[in-house]
Amino acid sequence: MTYFLQQLINGLQLGFVYALIALGYTMVYGIVRLINFAHGDVFMIGAYFGFYLLGRFKLPFPLAMVGAMLGCAILGITIEKLAYKPLRNAPRIAALITAMGMSLFLEYFTSLKFVFGPNYLAYPRPFPIVNFNLGGVTLSNIQIIVFGVAIFLMVVLQIFVAKTKTGMAMRAVSFDKQTAQLMGIDISRIISITFGIGSGLAGAGGVLYGIAYPQINPFMGVMPGLKAFVAAVLGGIGIIPGAMLGAIIMGVVEVMTAAFVSSTLRDAVAFGILIIVLLIKPTGILGKPAAEKV
Amino acid sequence: MNQTSFNNLLEVKDLSVHYGAICALHGISFELKPGEIVTLIGANGAGKSTTLKTISGLVKSSSGKIKFQDQDLNGIPAHKIAGLGISHVPEGRKPFSNLTVYENLRLGAYNTNNKAEIDAAMTRVFESFPRLKERLAQSAGTLSGGEQQMLAMGRGLMARPKLLMLDEPSMGLSPILVSEIFAIIKEINEQGTSILLVEQNANMALSIAQRAYVLETGSIVLSGNAQELREDPKVKSAYLGE
């Protein structure tokens, strides 16, 4: 039982990191109907921003976190302006292929020696690890930070989307771009904000991933990116609480599979979930069948 | 009929619109004076909605001029045109179904953050549409067709526009609701908002408008005083079903 609880905590840790990535996928999809395959690489670059801010510049952890989020937000907005905006009225497949190209570009460009380099790097430890023993279950201060930061960011995001005028505008744009313009909403601005927020969250995820699984390289975003994408689909793509739920399920299932079945099957089970969801409920757990009242 | 330009709130001159190779509007001209209700009537596909969409910037014109308060609207993006005082209530009402009634109304006043202004605009909307007040927290997608039309118009009024453009407000509504909506349109106009009304229900439109233009496959074929057009034998047989 304690072993199960322990694995549950480990699964939640992974799930919360996935959630921070999945939110960007789902928000961007909600607004521009694009699967931004470069999103996992923004997560990777966020981890590197954290790496340099913590390791080289010796910034305290919270500042490094904010720095990585801002850096990724700017990166995400730039990617959208350069790569996706010119294709806004093109067939969707064009933007999708561009996203894949952007993903490969970010991976191989950052692998260059004068950028991040191709090697694995050990992530700096901003603070010593402290383990708390709770009746046989170990909870580390890193896990507490992962949970705390992730939950805090998700709550802030929820409030932002639900309560602010910009959040309302985001939901309106995701529902109907033409009519949103008639309200005076600048679509381009809302799209930029969405990319900025999504990328910033991925950046936070990158730093948390770095301190929790302290090894990074330029391809570290590929698998978490894919899993977070599956999580977003699992929860219902375009639905923010769905991404959180889907990601937590993905993280827990993955860790549980590794712990109780076989660690070689963890990815197979994760992607198996995607296939099953697509077969049974293609719109995802929280997805509604597309029906509109006219 | 032509007056000097500064008498017009809206002036459309030789406006042509193409969708690819298809010509939707063949150089139409019309104007709207401050305080007027002007209606564009015509059959399905005559170009009525295209005209409104071009004015609000959703559709680009291929040639011609649109002037609002003597300002040329050519090249101004749709979201900025909304800020100039033109509210376009689109065909099919298009509420943001995933948002609440309150949020829909709030977005109608997107260009302002002034709480007092927003509250005043909302109070005015509730005077015209008291039913919306009861439904504020409800998701807009759950409203009935008539309520959605009220919401769409209320949302349009939230920006306190000088010109309210209504596209087929009668569509899909029962005759009783249509009379109710048209009475409200008249009332809104009497409170000082100019109205450009696009309708297939020509009879209703002509009954509240001062002037009317008849569109046929992208051209204006008739225009004049709404009362006179109502008596015109051609209009009677083609649009009033008499």
Side-chain angles (χ1 to χ4, degrees):
Chain A
M1 187 60 194
T2 51
Y3 183 63
F4 176 83
L5 282 178
Q6 185 66 62
Q7 295 308 325
L8 185 66
I9 289 175
N10 295 342
L12 286 174
Q13 173 184 332
L14 187 61
F16 276 118
V17 174
Y18 286 165
L20 290 176
I21 313 173
L23 285 168
Y25 269 115
T26 224
M27 289 170 70
V28 163
Y29 183 86
I31 297 278
V32 288
R33 301 290 182 269
L34 165 74
I35 305 292
N36 178 17
F37 278 112
H39 192 59
D41 305 297
V42 173
F43 158 81
M44 172 272 290
I45 290 172
Y48 273 92
F49 281 153
F51 174 87
Y52 288 111
L53 292 173
L54 288 169
R56 296 277 162 82
F57 298 98
K58 307 286 180 209
L59 286 187
F61 178 71
L63 277 183
M65 190 84 194
V66 171
M69 289 180 71
L70 282 178
C72 284
I74 293 166
L75 176 69
I77 292 168
T78 312
I79 290 174
E80 193 275 328
K81 287 256 183 283
L82 289 179
Y84 305 145
K85 195 179 178 190
L87 296 170
R88 205 172 283 165
N89 297 317
R92 270 206 260 164
I93 190 79
L96 194 70
I97 292 168
T98 304
M100 291 175 181
M102 180 53 73
S103 167
L104 291 171
F105 169 76
L106 292 175
E107 286 158 18
Y108 286 91
F109 179 74
T110 55
S111 295
L112 293 172
K113 278 222 178 63
F114 60 88
V115 191
F116 299 153
N119 300 322
Y120 278 93
L121 298 172
Y123 215 71
R125 281 253 176 259
F127 36 73
I129 298 180
V130 184
N131 285 317
F132 304 97
N133 197 321
L134 309 167
V137 180
T138 313
L139 187 67
S140 71
N141 56 346
I142 289 192
Q143 284 172 322
I144 294 172
I145 287 171
V146 171
F147 295 153
V149 171
I151 292 171
F152 171 76
L153 290 175
M154 289 192 263
V155 169
V156 170
L157 177 70
Q158 271 298 12
I159 294 172
F160 176 79
V161 172
K163 299 286 176 207
T164 66
K165 188 176 80 167
T166 306
M168 278 179 215
M170 284 170 71
R171 283 179 287 144
V173 170
S174 108
F175 187 78
D176 181 345
K177 283 192 188 51
Q178 265 207 349
T179 307
Q181 290 177 67
L182 296 179
M183 305 297 114
I185 298 171
D186 181 353
I187 307 283
S188 294
R189 189 173 152 266
I190 296 295
I191 291 174
S192 282
I193 291 172
T194 306
F195 269 84
I197 293 174
S199 304
L201 292 172
V207 178
L208 293 179
Y209 192 89
I211 62 163
Y213 311 95
Q215 224 188 20
I216 59 171
N217 87 326
F219 293 87
M220 65 178 274
V222 177
M223 266 315 203
L226 275 177
K227 301 240 177 82
F229 164 59
V230 173
V233 174
L234 174 64
I237 188 107
I239 303 165
I240 287 174
M244 300 178 195
L245 179 66
I248 287 165
I249 294 174
M250 285 291 290
V252 171
V253 167
E254 190 182 325
V255 169
M256 290 293 180
T257 308
F260 293 100
V261 190
S262 154
S263 65
T264 50
L265 279 180
R266 59 196 300 171
D267 294 347
V269 170
F271 294 115
I273 292 177
L274 175 66
I275 295 171
I276 293 167
V277 170
L278 290 181
L279 284 174
I280 296 172
K281 199 159 184 284
T283 50
I285 298 172
L286 299 185
K288 287 175 218 105
E292 273 167 42
K293 199 166 180 178
V294 183
Chain B
M1 200 175 69
N2 266 328
Q3 313 230 334
T4 38
S5 72
F6 52 77
N7 280 333
N8 297 325
L9 183 65
L10 178 76
E11 190 178 337
V12 173
K13 223 174 170 122
D14 300 323
L15 184 71
S16 291
V17 173
H18 292 79
Y19 293 118
I22 301 158
C23 186
L25 290 179
H26 305 270
I28 64 164
S29 300
F30 66 92
E31 72 276 322
L32 186 148
K33 296 181 196 70
E36 267 190 319
I37 301 182
V38 168
T39 181
L40 305 179
I41 58 175
N44 223 341
K48 308 187 298 295
S49 293
T50 300
T51 306
L52 294 196
K53 283 183 182 171
T54 314
I55 295 169
S56 60
L58 293 177
V59 169
K60 282 205 169 62
S61 63
S62 24
S63 64
K65 255 203 168 76
I66 302 171
K67 273 186 172 177
F68 180 69
Q69 293 186 309
D70 278 348
Q71 181 180 0
D72 191 347
L73 298 188
N74 191 24
I76 301 181
H79 68 268
K80 291 207 172 127
I81 289 178
L84 296 176
I86 300 181
S87 279
H88 177 178
V89 179
E91 186 178 3
R93 348 197 207 278
K94 303 286 170 68
F96 299 113
S97 307
N98 57 335
L99 270 61
T100 64
V101 170
Y102 171 81
E103 290 171 333
N104 270 273
L105 293 174
R106 175 65 188 85
L107 284 182
Y110 185 76
N111 281 319
T112 174
N113 287 321
N114 182 329
K115 181 102 181 40
E117 225 173 89
I118 295 165
D119 287 346
M122 222 172 260
T123 308
R124 209 197 117 185
V125 167
F126 295 149
E127 276 164 21
S128 298
F129 307 104
R131 232 181 298 174
L132 292 180
K133 199 174 178 178
E134 302 157 20
R135 306 246 187 275
L136 275 183
Q138 212 169 309
S139 147
T142 64
L143 298 183
S144 71
E147 288 166 345
Q148 289 194 359
Q149 183 59 47
M150 293 176 187
L151 176 59
M153 287 168 61
R155 188 178 61 181
L157 286 173
M158 282 299 291
R160 302 175 168 217
K162 297 181 186 90
L163 173 63
L164 184 67
M165 303 198 295
L166 301 168
D167 196 345
E168 304 275 6
S170 77
M171 196 170 75
L173 301 184
S174 70
I176 297 172
L177 266 174
V178 172
S179 334
E180 197 181 321
I181 294 280
F182 272 74
I184 295 169
I185 294 173
K186 214 163 167 207
E187 189 188 297
I188 291 167
N189 174 252
E190 279 156 8
Q191 286 165 10
T193 309
S194 308
I195 288 172
L196 180 58
L197 172 66
V198 151
E199 259 301 341
Q200 278 194 60
N201 187 336
N203 204 7
M204 283 307 286
L206 291 174
S207 73
I208 64 164
Q210 282 99 48
R211 290 188 306 112
Y213 295 83
V214 181
L215 265 175
E216 227 166 70
T217 55
S219 303
I220 288 175
V221 292
L222 264 176
S223 64
N225 177 291
Q227 281 313 313
E228 285 165 27
L229 278 181
R230 222 176 164 189
E231 303 303 322
D232 186 293
K234 274 181 286 179
V235 175
K236 265 187 170 170
S237 68
Y239 299 103
L240 301 176
E242 285 171 26

